Amino acid sequence: ALDPARWRSTITAVSEACGAFGANIMEPRSGGAFGGVLYSASLDRGMEDYVGEEWHRRDGRARLIVPSKQRGVVLEQDFMAPDEENSVDFYRFLAKHRLRDAVMMDVSAEGDDLYFVLQGRIEVGGFSHEDMSHFHAIRTRFMSAAQLMRHFSTSRNGGMAAAFETARIGCLFFDRNGRVVLANPKAESLLQGGPVLANGQIKAIRPAEGAAFNKALQAVTDGAPAQPGAPEVVTLSRLLGRPLMVRLQRLGEQFGDIFNPAAAMALIEDPDAAAGLAPETLSTLFGLTPAEARIALILSNGTSAVDIAGQTGLAYETVRSHIRAIFRKTETGRQSELSALFSRIRL
């Protein structure tokens, strides 16, 4: 349970032990669609066609969700009409991939609807009712593992949100349906001056920006294999100040932590926010004396040496001497470089 990288090999082993063609974990998505969150290697081709031909939007096994939620485990053959396998397009699609009657187990974890499906072999036929006790035992083990996975994933998400809060960066976590499941206080404060967080969704003040945000969010939560490169970046305008910068990034790999309630995260930065550095931080990073650190912070805000002397009560030549030492220790040459350097420090 604690090593997401082993989940694919585990469900493959369960599938083989049960004599199934393959196994997968399904997750209902918004709009009545399903996502193939995790599946055995034997289903690679079938899942490719399942998505490519958009069967995930019209899966005939959706009718098994309610009874599996009620009973825990159901056999598909118990819910099929005579000759349905030959007359319904969905089942002809399954037959093309040598798949037959399935076993569906509800392995949902604390509100996350997930279903473990054993895919039967067309040459063997359906599974036996005599094996129901074994299927229930498998489901129990999966449920226990899911609870452990969710607990540790939630703790990890909370730690990340707290770390970004310390760095004064807003942080949001989204589930696979694009709804916010966690927001740190910084994100909540930033989403008040125009764009707002309401009912788990971001509401932009400009429709075009809202559409761009939702498109970028869908790109990182749609379940397709993650593409290398930079995260999705969008902006959200405010009533006052420059637009917020939002970076959207998927959490983990395609076969990563499937029981993590969050599938993606967004980092929100305010370009108008002051660096807010503490003198002690500059002393630690650059070896500045306490006096140099205080002057460096004032200097980085664009204040002239003459005005710094007036604010601090120091002689002008003393201030100039401190400024030369600051530039030397920070390896900068002018005021704008110092400001740019300090703006990148998030401690």
Side-chain angles (χ1 to χ4, degrees):
L2 304 184
D3 184 0
R6 297 180 62 184
W7 272 85
R8 195 183 198 201
S9 61
T10 298
I11 68 168
T12 297
V14 172
S15 169
E16 292 174 351
C18 294
F21 183 91
N24 63 294
I25 295 180
M26 298 173 58
E27 178 187 44
R29 302 282 177 87
S30 58
F34 287 88
V37 181
L38 181 66
Y39 44 88
S40 59
S42 59
L43 294 178
D44 282 349
R45 176 61 187 277
M47 291 301 295
E48 180 181 334
D49 290 348
Y50 178 77
V51 175
E53 299 175 19
E54 297 196 341
W55 290 108
H56 65 300
R57 301 188 186 280
R58 48 200 172 109
D59 192 318
R61 289 170 173 166
R63 61 183 175 177
L64 301 180
I65 288 180
V66 173
S68 66
K69 183 70 70 177
Q70 296 170 342
R71 306 180 189 182
V73 181
V74 295
L75 302 184
E76 184 175 18
Q77 63 202 46
D78 293 340
F79 297 86
M80 297 187 65
D83 201 42
E84 189 172 1
E85 290 182 336
N86 300 319
S87 60
V88 176
D89 288 342
F90 176 70
Y91 288 106
R92 283 198 284 264
F93 161 76
L94 294 180
K96 182 177 69 173
H97 292 280
R98 298 173 54 212
L99 303 178
R100 190 66 179 266
D101 306 331
V103 179
M104 180 177 283
M105 310 176 194
D106 175 21
V107 294
S108 303
E110 300 180 26
D112 283 345
D113 284 341
L114 294 169
Y115 300 90
F116 179 62
V117 183
L118 286 170
Q119 306 282 355
R121 298 176 181 273
I122 194 170
E123 59 268 24
V124 176
F127 292 93
S128 171
H129 288 86
E130 296 178 357
D131 291 326
M132 288 295 284
S133 61
H134 299 301
F135 296 143
H136 280 283
I138 292 171
R139 174 178 179 259
T140 298
R141 298 290 288 272
F142 268 105
M143 296 278 288
S144 298
Q147 291 173 359
L148 282 173
M149 293 280 281
R150 185 178 176 88
H151 171 75
F152 285 104
S153 297
T154 301
S155 297
R156 185 169 62 249
N157 295 345
M160 292 172 63
F164 284 115
E165 181 71 22
T166 300
R168 300 181 300 283
I169 298 175
C171 180
L172 300 171
F173 289 84
F174 298 86
D175 65 16
R176 293 180 180 87
N177 289 319
R179 299 188 65 84
V180 176
V181 294
L182 177 64
N184 68 0
K186 183 62 177 178
E188 293 176 341
S189 67
L190 289 173
L191 295 173
Q192 292 180 352
V196 296
L197 173 59
N199 298 320
Q201 295 182 315
I202 305 298
K203 305 292 185 181
I205 60 176
R206 295 182 177 177
E209 289 183 343
F213 178 87
N214 291 331
K215 181 179 180 180
L217 179 59
Q218 183 176 0
V220 297
T221 59
D222 67 356
Q227 299 297 320
E232 300 280 341
V233 179
V234 296
T235 58
L236 294 174
S237 295
R238 297 181 287 178
L239 298 176
L240 297 174
R242 288 182 290 178
L244 298 172
M245 178 180 292
V246 183
R247 293 182 175 89
L248 290 154
Q249 184 79 47
R250 179 180 300 180
L251 288 177
E253 302 296 330
Q254 182 185 12
F255 299 120
D257 189 349
I258 58 175
F259 290 104
N260 191 337
M265 67 183 299
L267 301 181
I268 309 174
E269 294 190 61
D270 181 359
D272 293 332
L277 291 172
E280 295 78 12
T281 298
L282 299 181
S283 295
T284 300
L285 292 176
F286 303 110
L288 302 180
T289 67
E292 290 168 351
R294 289 193 296 271
I295 291 174
L297 287 174
I298 301 173
L299 185 67
S300 67
N301 291 327
T303 308
S304 68
V306 173
D307 289 338
I308 292 175
Q311 291 180 28
T312 61
L314 297 173
Y316 172 73
E317 288 302 327
T318 301
V319 172
R320 293 262 300 176
S321 177
H322 283 316
I323 291 175
R324 286 193 292 271
I326 291 167
F327 285 155
R328 184 181 72 255
K329 292 180 180 180
T330 60
E331 297 183 1
T332 56
R334 51 184 181 270
Q335 203 169 14
S336 60
E337 292 179 3
L338 186 71
S339 298
L341 173 63
F342 287 0
S343 70
R344 295 193 294 269
I345 298 174
R346 292 290 179 179
L347 297 174

